[in-house]
Amino acid sequence: MQKITEVFWGVLAITLFVVSAPVLAQSAGEQPEATEQRELIYCADQMTHEEREAYRTHMRAARTPEEKDAYRQAHQQEMQLRVRQRGLDVTQCEPLRQRQRGGQSQ
């Protein structure tokens, strides 16, 4: 009976440690994973899923803010050309919530 009680308390202690470890880590000031905020991709609704993922990959690989800005500008020009070729209005590339506000930035 004493052996069973010891095993029970041991299992209970291990279970409590495993369950409480992530909570303790967060309360100690550690950030949970995947806190990276995604940017809105210009004209994303005119892109395929693969194109959006390639854009994100390229942006993550950029080493400086200047590289990111240059890629954003090139992407914006390419998407404006694509939209015009499809006979659509370039304002359709702005995020919907921005169009609803009349083009105001957040």
Side-chain angles (χ1 to χ4, degrees):
M1 180 71 170
Q2 185 178 4
K3 186 95 170 162
I4 294 173
T5 304
E6 289 174 7
V7 169
F8 170 76
W9 285 112
V11 169
L12 181 62
I14 292 171
T15 303
L16 287 175
F17 176 75
V18 169
V19 169
S20 64
V23 174
L24 292 174
Q26 285 182 354
S27 66
E30 293 180 18
Q31 295 293 326
E33 293 180 25
T35 58
E36 178 184 339
Q37 185 177 0
R38 278 191 172 177
E39 77 172 87
L40 293 175
I41 299 174
Y42 182 80
C43 221
D45 58 336
Q46 298 295 320
M47 300 168 68
T48 65
H49 174 73
E50 291 77 19
E51 288 173 323
R52 289 189 298 272
E53 288 304 314
Y55 177 89
R56 290 183 186 111
T57 300
H58 194 282
M59 290 300 281
R60 280 190 293 266
R63 294 183 179 161
T64 65
E66 291 79 17
E67 286 180 35
K68 289 183 179 192
D69 288 341
Y71 187 69
R72 270 189 207 102
Q73 281 187 329
H75 168 74
Q76 186 171 349
Q77 290 172 353
E78 179 183 336
M79 294 311 296
Q80 287 175 354
L81 179 62
R82 181 186 295 186
V83 167
R84 284 188 191 112
Q85 288 174 344
R86 292 180 179 174
L88 301 172
D89 185 13
V90 177
T91 60
Q92 296 300 306
C93 285
E94 296 173 4
L96 179 60
R97 63 179 162 212
Q98 203 170 18
R99 285 185 299 214
Q100 290 173 337
R101 292 182 188 169
Q104 298 172 352
S105 61
Q106 295 181 5

